Amino acid sequence: MNAELEKLIEKARSIVPTEDHLEKQRRSFAYGSAKIENSDITREMIDQAAMRLRQETHGK
């Protein structure tokens, strides 16, 4: 592996994702997984489901 790539990999290891970034990753994964099973799924549907789940989990 070349030195520049090694530096980039090392730098990436120290990055701590924010809660917002993790939430976006979760929604993206949910969308991609659901879309495979049902082509009618939209990102808006995933966002609505995520908001409902958050309300249920963190109180209304």
Side-chain angles (χ1 to χ4, degrees):
M1 191 174 324
N2 73 35
E4 186 63 28
L5 181 55
E6 286 185 34
K7 283 187 216 176
L8 290 172
I9 290 171
E10 194 57 38
K11 184 176 182 179
R13 286 187 177 126
S14 66
I15 295 173
V16 178
T18 64
E19 280 300 316
D20 182 56
H21 182 82
L22 292 173
E23 181 65 20
K24 287 177 182 175
Q25 281 187 325
R26 280 189 285 271
R27 290 182 188 199
S28 178
F29 179 81
Y31 172 73
S33 298
K35 189 75 170 176
I36 290 170
E37 297 294 323
N38 182 346
S39 63
D40 293 333
I41 295 293
T42 65
R43 288 193 182 271
E44 182 178 278
M45 294 165 98
I46 297 298
D47 289 340
Q48 289 171 352
M51 287 186 275
R52 281 194 308 271
L53 182 60
R54 180 169 279 208
Q55 287 174 345
E56 292 172 7
T57 321
H58 296 285
K60 296 177 182 176

